Amino acid sequence: MDPVKTKANYSRVCQLLVDKGGDALRGALHAKHPPSTLAAVLNANKTTLKKIRYSVIKPSQWDLLFPVSGTPDSNNFDITLLAILLRNICGFPSPVAGWNAMPPASDTSISAHIARIKIFRNEIYGHIPAAQYDDTTFETLWQEISKPLIKLGIPQQDIDELKEAPLSPEEESYIEKLKKWKELEDDFLSKLNDIEKVVLNVGNQVLELRRIVENLVPSQVDQLAKFDFTGKIDRLCQKFPNGTKEWFFDELSSWLDDKESRVMILTAGPGAGKSVLSAKICVQYKKRGKLAGYHFCDFRNSDSRNPHRILQSLASQMCDNIVGFRDKLIEVLRRQHSQESLSDAFRVLINDPLHALCRREPMLIVVDALDESKTDTRSEFLELILENFPELPEWIKIFISSTPELQVQNKLHGS
């Protein structure tokens, strides 16, 4: 076949992709960002585009995007600049087969048509060394390339006229333009890949550094006192006769759903099994996800009857038992409120974080052997319950066991 004709065929295909492909990409840009809003969109994305200024976007192209006077005119954007904008500010979703594979015929999205043009461009770019197409190959390619161009708004008549129009003396320029388009995009993708690797590496290093710091410097929450009553509860539950006290647990369940009563008090003499019952309550309501916190007072352990320590331990348990409590507690602690007084500590550690949560199903706080929290003739923790616990959200219920000598019931009803 005549080499002049085969080279002309190749040049025509290049012209189709560069001229009409450019118009098609411009139409895709306008579909996402109409000319009337383009200036505002470019300004909103200026920081993003600055990252590839000089390395990808040339000075002359940058001046077109952000002219010294007037507004940007997309009709002046060449095909390489259009390709850059489509990738960086349009946010088109990936075609079904991705950006680097020919989409199936069933994918008729704008992204798929853009991908088809790109795939054809890559194929034609691969033939630049020979720069020749016979008539059969030319006709086939012309028809296939025309399909996505038409779908992106290029009139069939314009494509037909281009096919029949005489080639200009500048036919070589279309080959060079197509080559520049392909190589610029490859360069951009390479730089983007390098940037993503650097960002990922920095992100991983930041996460690792954060883990190291967290391990070296415990958070304020992790520094709170926290009593471990697991062994004590296990020992006490072994003393509980299975199948008994069912009437009590039925009453406890009804009380938990009662919106009127907030406190249940169990009083009995020493050795009556109050602690065994408290331990059983903790186990049952822990399994149901309704145990907010618990504390077993012990007159032999000064820490276990220290009201500040008790509040810290309850707060630590709530971090484990109440969804979202830990985050709210961290927020409150960051504000560095005073915790010197017992009422301040109650507000910071318990009350404010609980009130920051949404209303939910009732949850239970168990306080066993409250009578053993007293020092000398008074119980600071009982006084705290009397004065401050009514401020807690309505979905927090409190079960207390004590000997009659502390007169918990009288004081609560009299408060």
Side-chain angles (χ1 to χ4, degrees):
M1 187 171 177
D2 183 0
V4 175
K5 182 66 163 61
T6 57
K7 187 168 184 178
N9 287 342
Y10 186 83
S11 296
R12 279 190 190 280
V13 173
C14 290
Q15 186 178 11
L16 175 65
L17 275 168
V18 172
D19 280 358
K20 301 308 175 186
D23 291 342
L25 296 186
R26 189 174 291 105
L29 175 65
H30 291 169
K32 200 73 173 180
H33 303 302
S36 59
T37 64
L38 184 59
V41 171
L42 288 172
N43 283 321
N45 289 274
K46 193 170 186 178
T47 301
T48 299
L49 295 172
K50 275 184 176 179
K51 295 176 182 177
I52 54 174
R53 187 181 182 185
Y54 304 118
S55 61
V56 176
I57 301 177
K58 306 309 176 189
S60 59
Q61 293 174 322
W62 186 264
D63 292 341
L64 293 174
L65 296 175
F66 303 100
V68 176
S69 60
T71 58
D73 184 355
S74 60
N75 290 316
N76 297 325
F77 298 170
D78 61 23
I79 197 165
T80 57
L81 184 55
L82 290 167
I84 291 169
L85 296 178
L86 288 173
R87 273 195 169 271
N88 285 274
I89 69 169
C90 288
F92 284 114
S94 174
V96 173
W99 289 105
N100 298 315
M102 183 64 76
S106 58
D107 190 348
T108 58
S109 63
I110 292 177
S111 300
H113 297 317
I114 293 172
R116 290 184 179 99
I117 293 173
K118 173 187 170 182
I119 299 299
F120 283 126
R121 179 209 63 192
N122 293 349
E123 179 180 337
I124 293 166
Y125 174 84
H127 287 80
I128 282 180
Q132 293 181 349
Y133 280 137
D134 59 38
D135 287 346
T136 302
T137 303
F138 168 76
E139 290 293 340
T140 301
L141 279 172
W142 192 272
Q143 293 301 320
E144 291 299 317
I145 295 171
S146 297
K147 292 176 183 178
L149 294 178
I150 292 170
K151 293 293 184 181
L152 289 173
I154 303 302
Q156 178 71 62
Q157 183 179 349
D158 289 0
I159 295 173
D160 293 340
E161 289 177 355
L162 181 65
K163 185 179 180 182
E164 301 301 329
L167 279 173
S168 68
E170 300 178 350
E171 62 181 57
E172 293 282 352
S173 68
Y174 289 106
I175 299 176
E176 188 59 33
K177 287 178 181 178
L178 185 137
K179 181 180 178 182
K180 183 180 178 182
W181 174 18
K182 172 69 167 63
E183 292 176 349
L184 180 67
E185 184 172 315
D186 288 347
D187 183 53
F188 166 70
L189 292 176
S190 175
K191 287 183 171 64
L192 182 63
N193 187 48
D194 291 341
I195 291 171
E196 289 175 345
K197 287 180 180 178
V198 170
V199 171
L200 179 62
N201 186 45
V202 171
N204 290 336
Q205 290 178 359
V206 169
L207 289 174
E208 182 61 26
L209 183 60
R210 181 181 297 171
R211 282 193 289 268
I212 293 172
V213 171
E214 288 175 350
N215 289 333
L216 292 175
V217 183
S219 69
Q220 289 179 283
V221 172
D222 294 330
Q223 291 177 317
L224 295 175
K226 187 174 185 179
F227 296 103
D228 185 359
F229 295 111
T230 305
K232 183 170 187 173
I233 290 174
D234 289 343
R235 289 193 300 274
L236 289 169
C237 284
Q238 290 175 7
K239 299 177 183 180
F240 184 84
N242 292 326
T244 62
K245 302 289 193 299
E246 291 183 5
W247 61 270
F248 170 79
F249 288 104
D250 289 341
E251 185 175 336
L252 183 68
S253 180
S254 298
W255 164 75
L256 198 66
D257 294 328
D258 183 1
K259 296 182 179 179
E260 298 299 324
S261 176
R262 301 279 303 282
V263 181
M264 176 180 279
I265 306 162
L266 174 67
T267 58
K274 301 184 299 299
S275 294
V276 171
L277 206 54
S278 295
K280 196 66 178 177
I281 292 171
C282 288
V283 171
Q284 287 195 5
Y285 281 81
K286 177 79 170 178
K287 288 180 180 178
R288 299 176 190 176
K290 292 189 174 184
L291 184 65
Y294 54 92
H295 187 78
F296 288 75
C297 300
D298 188 341
F299 72 92
R300 296 163 298 184
N301 186 328
S302 60
D303 262 1
S304 77
R305 49 193 170 91
N306 181 313
H308 281 276
R309 299 277 193 275
I310 294 172
L311 288 177
Q312 289 185 26
S313 183
L314 288 174
S316 294
Q317 294 173 36
M318 289 180 186
C319 288
D320 299 331
N321 299 335
I322 303 178
V323 176
F325 182 87
R326 183 183 180 89
D327 292 338
K328 299 301 180 183
L329 177 58
I330 290 173
E331 289 178 14
V332 174
L333 290 175
R334 280 176 181 156
R335 300 189 186 106
Q336 298 182 334
H337 295 300
S338 171
Q339 298 182 46
E340 291 184 12
S341 73
L342 202 53
S343 60
D344 285 343
F346 168 80
R347 175 176 51 80
V348 171
L349 297 175
I350 306 291
N351 195 55
D352 287 0
L354 284 174
H355 275 287
L357 298 172
C358 297
R359 183 181 178 87
R360 56 191 67 200
E361 293 297 313
M363 296 192 76
L364 186 63
I365 295 175
V366 175
V367 179
D368 179 66
L370 182 60
D371 55 290
E372 297 191 29
S373 69
K374 67 179 181 179
T375 56
D376 297 328
T377 59
R378 62 190 288 245
S379 169
E380 286 187 282
F381 193 52
L382 173 59
E383 294 171 5
L384 177 71
I385 292 175
L386 293 174
E387 295 175 9
N388 298 104
F389 271 56
E391 300 173 11
L392 291 174
E394 293 181 355
W395 50 274
I396 293 292
K397 301 292 193 84
I398 307 160
F399 174 85
I400 298 171
S401 76
S402 176
T403 58
E405 66 183 55
L406 195 61
Q407 298 182 340
V408 177
Q409 197 151 5
N410 292 338
K411 291 184 178 180
L412 280 171
H413 289 315
S415 63

